[in-house]
Amino acid sequence: MSRSRPPGQPRDVLLNVDLLGLIPVYLTQLDRWRPFFRCAVEDSFVRRLVHRYEDLWLPLLASWHQLDLEPPADVHWIWQLHLLRPDRYSAYCLDRFGRVLPHRIRKYDREAATALQRTASLWRDTYPGTLFEADLDCLKTDGVVSVPPNGTKLADLVAAGAANETEFLYQIGLPHYRDQSFQYAAVERYKRLLLFRTRRPEAQNLRIPVDVQLVWRVHLLHPTQFAEDMRRIFGQHPPYALGEMDFEAHHILLAESNNAWREEFGDELFVEGAGYRSHGSTARDIHPFPRDAYDRRTIETCEISIGNLTVDEIWTKEKKIVVEALLIGDNSFAQQMVFRTSGTVGGAMRVDGLGSSKASSSSAAAGSGEGLVGKTQFDTRRNKGLEFHIIGRKGLGCISRERTIATKLFNPTQYFQNLTGVSGGTQHIVLPKVTYTDPKISFEMAVRAAASKPHIFTLDRNSSELCPLPPEFRQFVTNSQVWNVAMVTPVENNFLKARHSLKCREAGLAFGVEVIKHEATNLGAILVYHNNQRLVSVAYSIDGAELPSRIQVLETCPVAFDPHDGDHAMLIRNQLGDYAVCIARWQGSTVSGESRVVILTYFIQSRLTQSLEIRDDELQSIKSDVISVDLPTGRLTVDSACDWLPEQITWAFCVGTLFVVAQKTSAVPYPSSLSTGSVRSAQWSSVSDPEVDSIGTAATRKSKLSAKAHIQQKKMAKRRKMSASFTFLLACGLQIDAALYGGGSSSRPPSSRGSPAARRLPVGYFQTDPDETTYVRNEPPTRQLANGGMHYPQNDPRNADRGGPQFFPPSTATSSRHSIGQTNNISGSSARSRSSNRQMASASQSVRQAAPPTQTLHSGAAEYYVDVRL
């Protein structure tokens, strides 16, 4: 059968499978098969499943082909791995059964349940004594499923496919792959891929985006329909493979694939949200956090019950004694009777019902418990412990009086860590005899927690240093385009790293937080170490290659962002994979002062969404459901019931980092192109000329703002100058900037505008300098001027007095990028201001005369002369 007419447009590509309707079903099946993917590294486990598939299921399917059968979950997983290799599957079935055995994805759950019930009955009749639906524990146990001693070629093929599918499962882990609009575009792009292969059959090494691979897999799971469609489109000898089904970001192959696709269709092959992500296997390098090490230390308020009380080894000769227990408050005068009991030395005490009314009612209420002598509410914030008084009697009859024989203080908090459960438990307590007058007291303490004590971490902020990207972090961003651009920068030590410490003494917890930042591209990373040794959580900036734009998905998709509007995003990961995605979006107006940063967090593992709004003029704390950060002191308070403590700490630092970089970029040429009056620009405005206000222009300049708006701006500037000293924000990025360029200078190399994804170029963005072996970015001249320098070839004569190629920051040509070269002189009342103005004007004139041809950049009302050095 030859094709009648080759398709000319994507709409002419007709398929026999409802791909759009079956993609959600396939994603649901992948979620159901996740436990099998995690166990795919065990060779014996895979061989057991292959035995059930090859020796039991396929013969049953071949003999009852007229029935509509549905295999069990473990067999179905192995089957779909075999189906993803259409050439090997077809050859295997033709060689063994003489025909290709069919398979299809069932769109409706009721249909699948009916077929599964029919298959289970047939399985029991054909293979009596063999499990139909074997759970994961049975499949892992030796002897439950009989396996041949020698494996087969099919087992090796499936094992290799399982490793690749585990990586694919990570690639589609973000929620936009479940968005209907994104899936519809993926189906259309898959049809264009088929059309592309008809026009260019020689493109064997084509790199296929993740969204198209998803649609291709759904098509492959229908072997008979897929073979018929391929013959109709390609003819008698259709290609089994449409491209490479892996996720290695070979930049040369990506560029070639993207260029070939652009020549045919005029757009990009790798659209936003469909690029290759970092490898999912890197999650194995993140260690699990031992949560049991701190859960039992978090009781804040609880109910303590004392029972089976025994006093022995007293220093006097009394046989009968009285024991009183007092609850000690903040000081020795704040005491409350808990219980009063009497008995004999060495025997169990009994309740007398004496004492205060509260103690008597408490003891009566506790009388239902066997051996219980009293109970009380204990608050670790206000109570220091229980004080036991051992009382004897001196004298005879009515003239006898009580006297205190011994006193012993007991602090229950030191025993909370030994409780059997987080919510409480019972344990036997023995207060030993320490001195001669001390008695030996033993009893049983039952604790029932009413409220958990939050973890309060103190931040010890350290300075930052220039260094290369740490090797333990490189593996997480090997496929990231923006991180690769940052890593190939000719400067060796081009990353800033600061190591901070978080300590909680009461819970015995300590974390090391490593903040990494690349100033030129606004990239950031957070690494959290337990006890400063084991990596337990990591977060890093991501771009449009991993997240879609707003026009690609529906409004209900929680991870859509637009990098061209200045949005920034960070991905948080733990030992299980992706934990959350944080997207920061600036909203408001810088002129009016009503600006805020909205940070949207999508927790991938729980599929919950959380929104946080931080106003630029009310920077005091950052709060969420389980964690709060006090910005001035850097103190973190985490709910002890939180199941993801390291991840929440990472989230807090992500919020601080995103807030620093997500400020709205002003159109006024302010030092380092920062937002006017933003938190990041506040530290530079505070050390600038006294006659220059925080608006970033001369005080004598004719402003178009009203007087009310001007006063509002000055009030806002004062608040933001104070916020620049906030400990937590300094730890998240402000301190890193000041450590690199010096807090006493008002000029620094400029930050690039917008998020890193806004500057993301097409896949073929690398160009090789013919005079050097390094890679340089293909930026327009205006962008290079705005970034403050040019990169010259090695043999350029202008490098003769500089010893080689260099990047020239603005400070090498002008003493202050903020003021030198401005056409409007800054006038002031002080002599110091006039003197500085004359010096700046003189320096500006000398720069204009001595420098090579210059280019003027206009922005707003200010004019800057930038040394082009072409």
Side-chain angles (χ1 to χ4, degrees):
M1 173 183 177
S2 61
R3 58 184 182 183
S4 57
R5 181 174 60 88
Q9 297 295 330
R11 61 174 177 268
D12 299 332
V13 179
L14 303 178
L15 304 176
N16 292 326
V17 181
D18 181 15
L19 298 177
L20 184 61
L22 295 177
I23 290 177
V25 183
Y26 177 58
L27 293 175
T28 303
Q29 290 181 347
L30 290 178
D31 293 338
R32 192 181 301 120
W33 294 334
R34 282 182 183 271
F36 302 117
F37 283 108
R38 297 191 184 103
C39 301
V41 294
E42 303 178 12
D43 182 65
S44 59
F45 175 77
V46 175
R47 285 196 294 111
R48 291 188 185 96
L49 298 189
V50 171
H51 164 67
R52 286 168 54 84
Y53 164 72
E54 187 177 13
D55 299 334
L56 302 179
W57 167 249
L58 289 181
L60 181 67
L61 179 66
S63 58
W64 297 90
H65 62 275
Q66 69 276 10
L67 297 179
D68 195 8
L69 303 180
E70 180 76 8
D74 60 316
V75 174
H76 203 174
W77 176 61
I78 296 294
W79 195 7
Q80 66 95 19
L81 292 178
H82 199 189
L83 288 167
L84 293 179
R85 299 295 300 270
D87 52 342
R88 305 289 291 271
Y89 180 78
S90 300
Y92 180 87
C93 291
L94 291 174
D95 181 64
R96 184 176 179 183
F97 305 106
R99 59 188 180 88
V100 177
L101 299 181
H103 174 273
R104 68 186 181 94
I105 300 177
R106 304 180 190 278
K107 191 174 183 179
Y108 303 103
D109 295 338
R110 179 179 299 179
E111 179 185 2
T114 303
L116 187 65
Q117 185 177 6
R118 182 189 309 113
T119 308
S121 177
L122 184 61
W123 181 288
R124 298 187 191 96
D125 296 339
T126 308
Y127 308 111
T130 304
L131 295 176
F132 175 68
E133 292 191 28
D135 57 5
L136 198 60
D137 295 334
C138 294
L139 294 173
K140 289 182 178 181
T141 305
D142 294 333
V144 176
V145 179
S146 58
V147 181
N150 298 324
T152 62
K153 295 182 179 180
L154 182 59
D156 298 335
L157 175 65
V158 169
N164 188 56
E165 287 303 290
T166 303
E167 187 65 29
F168 173 73
L169 198 64
Y170 174 76
Q171 296 290 329
I172 61 171
L174 295 180
H176 63 276
Y177 283 97
R178 288 165 171 79
D179 184 83
Q180 189 174 7
S181 177
F182 192 81
Q183 293 173 359
Y184 177 81
V187 173
E188 296 300 318
R189 282 158 47 80
Y190 175 69
K191 294 181 179 179
R192 296 170 70 180
L193 173 65
L194 297 176
L195 182 62
F196 176 84
R197 288 306 307 271
T198 60
R199 298 176 181 177
R200 295 199 176 189
E202 72 282 356
Q204 299 293 333
N205 297 325
L206 182 71
R207 316 302 295 184
I208 302 181
V210 181
D211 62 333
V212 179
Q213 287 196 37
L214 174 62
V215 183
W216 184 20
R217 279 168 163 79
V218 175
H219 200 189
L220 288 174
L221 294 182
H222 301 76
T224 55
Q225 294 89 334
F226 177 79
E228 182 180 350
D229 292 337
M230 292 298 102
R231 285 193 296 268
R232 184 176 63 254
I233 297 173
F234 294 95
Q236 275 291 355
H237 303 286
Y240 285 106
L242 301 178
E244 296 294 334
M245 196 179 285
D246 59 8
F247 310 99
E248 294 294 335
H250 301 290
H251 299 293
I252 297 179
L253 296 179
L254 290 176
E256 292 178 354
S257 301
N258 214 40
N259 293 334
W261 186 274
R262 193 183 301 111
E263 291 175 2
E264 291 293 336
F265 302 107
D267 56 358
E268 300 293 331
L269 173 62
F270 287 85
V271 298
E272 285 79 0
Y276 298 154
R277 306 176 60 201
S278 60
H279 296 291
S281 58
T282 55
R284 294 195 294 265
D285 299 323
I286 304 177
H287 302 278
F289 177 65
R291 292 173 175 82
D292 294 339
Y294 74 94
D295 281 343
R296 299 169 184 172
R297 305 170 184 242
T298 59
I299 296 178
E300 185 175 55
T301 60
C302 61
E303 182 185 70
I304 295 179
S305 302
I306 305 296
N308 296 330
L309 179 63
T310 303
V311 180
D312 200 0
E313 300 181 12
I314 63 174
W315 65 279
T316 61
K317 297 180 180 180
E318 275 83 0
K319 300 297 183 182
K320 295 183 178 181
I321 56 175
V322 176
V323 180
E324 283 185 357
L326 302 179
L327 182 64
I328 308 301
D330 296 334
N331 51 67
S332 58
F333 298 99
Q335 298 180 355
Q336 177 185 342
M337 176 75 74
V338 178
F339 63 85
R340 179 185 175 94
T341 181
S342 62
T344 60
V345 176
M349 299 289 130
R350 65 180 185 276
V351 178
D352 287 344
L354 302 177
S356 63
S357 59
K358 182 178 293 186
S360 301
S361 61
S362 175
S363 299
S368 58
E370 183 179 358
L372 191 64
V373 295
K375 61 181 178 180
T376 184
Q377 296 292 329
F378 188 84
D379 193 335
T380 58
R381 297 169 298 179
R382 296 190 298 266
N383 301 123
K384 294 183 178 180
L386 294 175
E387 190 176 66
F388 293 99
H389 292 265
I390 312 301
I391 303 173
R393 300 190 69 86
K394 184 177 182 181
L396 299 173
C398 61
I399 61 173
S400 65
R401 61 183 179 86
E402 294 183 347
R403 63 165 183 164
T404 302
I405 300 175
T407 302
K408 205 171 187 67
L409 184 63
F410 166 64
N411 186 8
T413 57
Q414 60 184 339
Y415 295 92
F416 287 167
Q417 58 183 340
N418 298 325
L419 294 174
T420 57
V422 177
S423 60
T426 303
Q427 56 180 315
H428 184 71
I429 307 296
V430 176
L431 304 180
K433 184 180 180 66
V434 180
T435 64
Y436 173 73
T437 58
D438 271 351
K440 176 183 177 182
I441 302 177
S442 61
F443 56 90
E444 290 185 357
M445 180 181 69
V447 179
R448 186 173 64 182
S452 299
K453 186 176 183 179
H455 302 307
I456 300 178
F457 291 90
T458 57
L459 175 63
D460 185 10
R461 182 174 58 85
N462 297 318
S463 59
S464 60
E465 59 182 359
L466 283 168
C467 63
L469 195 65
E472 63 270 16
F473 175 70
R474 287 177 179 266
Q475 57 185 340
F476 293 101
V477 292
T478 52
N479 282 357
S480 176
Q481 180 178 344
V482 290
W483 281 97
N484 286 328
V485 171
M487 285 187 287
V488 298
T489 305
V491 182
E492 180 181 0
N493 298 329
N494 55 347
F495 288 91
L496 281 165
K497 182 178 70 172
R499 187 70 173 263
H500 313 299
S501 298
L502 286 175
K503 296 180 181 179
C504 179
R505 292 186 177 181
E506 296 182 356
L509 291 172
F511 291 97
V513 181
E514 198 169 276
V515 180
I516 303 173
K517 188 177 180 184
H518 191 260
E519 178 66 22
T521 56
N522 274 338
L523 295 176
I526 311 293
L527 284 78
V528 177
Y529 297 86
H530 181 224
N531 293 332
N532 290 324
Q533 295 177 351
R534 298 166 63 88
L535 181 65
V536 292
S537 181
V538 64
Y540 51 88
S541 300
I542 56 177
D543 65 337
E546 301 186 32
L547 296 177
S549 62
R550 296 189 184 96
I551 61 175
Q552 292 180 275
V553 295
L554 301 176
E555 295 181 357
T556 56
C557 185
V559 296
F561 89 126
D562 193 348
H564 299 284
D565 289 343
D567 293 354
H568 295 258
M570 295 188 74
L571 177 68
I572 305 176
R573 301 184 64 184
N574 58 9
Q575 79 281 2
L576 299 178
D578 294 343
Y579 174 74
V581 175
C582 300
I583 301 176
R585 185 170 303 151
W586 187 92
Q587 295 180 356
S589 172
T590 306
V591 176
S592 64
E594 298 178 356
S595 60
R596 60 187 181 274
V597 175
V598 178
I599 299 179
L600 182 67
T601 305
Y602 178 77
F603 298 96
I604 299 174
Q605 297 173 4
S606 60
R607 297 186 180 180
L608 299 177
T609 305
Q610 174 183 316
S611 180
L612 178 66
E613 181 177 306
I614 307 176
R615 292 180 58 86
D616 201 15
D617 57 343
E618 296 179 358
L619 295 176
Q620 292 298 326
S621 63
I622 299 174
K623 296 181 179 179
S624 69
D625 297 337
V626 296
I627 188 173
S628 63
V629 182
D630 185 64
L631 297 180
T633 63
R635 184 177 62 184
L636 279 75
T637 304
V638 187
D639 187 3
S640 59
C642 174
D643 294 331
W644 311 99
L645 180 59
E647 293 82 356
Q648 287 295 325
I649 293 176
T650 309
W651 175 85
F653 276 88
C654 284
V655 170
T657 303
L658 290 173
F659 178 77
V660 169
V661 302
Q663 300 294 310
K664 183 69 172 180
T665 304
S666 174
V668 180
Y670 195 71
S672 73
S673 299
L674 292 177
S675 169
T676 299
S678 68
V679 174
R680 299 180 68 200
S681 62
Q683 61 173 334
W684 310 114
S685 63
S686 60
V687 296
S688 60
D689 194 281
E691 294 298 325
V692 180
D693 60 10
S694 64
I695 302 178
T697 57
T700 58
R701 200 193 84 185
K702 293 182 180 180
S703 176
K704 296 182 180 180
L705 302 176
S706 63
K708 183 177 180 180
H710 188 76
I711 295 174
Q712 179 69 16
Q713 279 283 9
K714 299 194 72 173
K715 290 181 179 179
M716 295 278 298
K718 185 177 180 180
R719 295 179 182 177
R720 287 162 182 156
K721 289 177 183 179
M722 296 174 60
S723 69
S725 63
F726 283 177
T727 302
F728 188 76
L729 292 182
L730 292 175
C732 292
L734 291 176
Q735 185 266 347
I736 291 180
D737 294 340
L740 176 59
Y741 302 110
S745 174
S746 61
S747 64
R748 59 192 266 270
S751 299
S752 302
R753 300 185 177 215
S755 65
R759 303 181 301 279
R760 191 169 67 90
L761 302 176
V763 178
Y765 62 91
F766 283 120
Q767 68 174 12
T768 305
D769 195 327
D771 298 324
E772 298 187 48
T773 58
T774 58
Y775 288 96
V776 296
R777 291 191 61 183
N778 185 14
E779 290 187 341
T782 305
R783 176 62 54 81
Q784 295 176 348
L785 292 173
N787 285 341
M790 298 292 293
H791 187 219
Y792 303 141
Q794 189 173 3
N795 57 358
D796 194 286
R798 286 165 292 185
N799 290 325
D801 57 342
R802 297 179 177 87
Q806 295 182 359
F807 284 100
F808 294 93
S811 57
T812 60
T814 61
S815 60
S816 175
R817 186 177 182 266
H818 174 59
S819 53
I820 292 182
Q822 278 189 314
T823 58
N824 298 331
N825 291 329
I826 302 175
S827 62
S829 59
S830 62
R832 178 182 177 183
S833 176
R834 289 193 298 270
S835 176
S836 62
N837 291 336
R838 287 194 297 270
Q839 294 175 1
M840 289 186 291
S842 177
S844 174
Q845 184 67 22
S846 62
V847 168
R848 297 176 188 175
Q849 294 176 359
T854 59
Q855 180 171 344
T856 304
L857 298 181
H858 297 272
S859 180
E863 188 173 345
Y864 289 84
Y865 293 88
V866 182
D867 190 356
V868 182
R869 300 177 183 268
L870 295 177

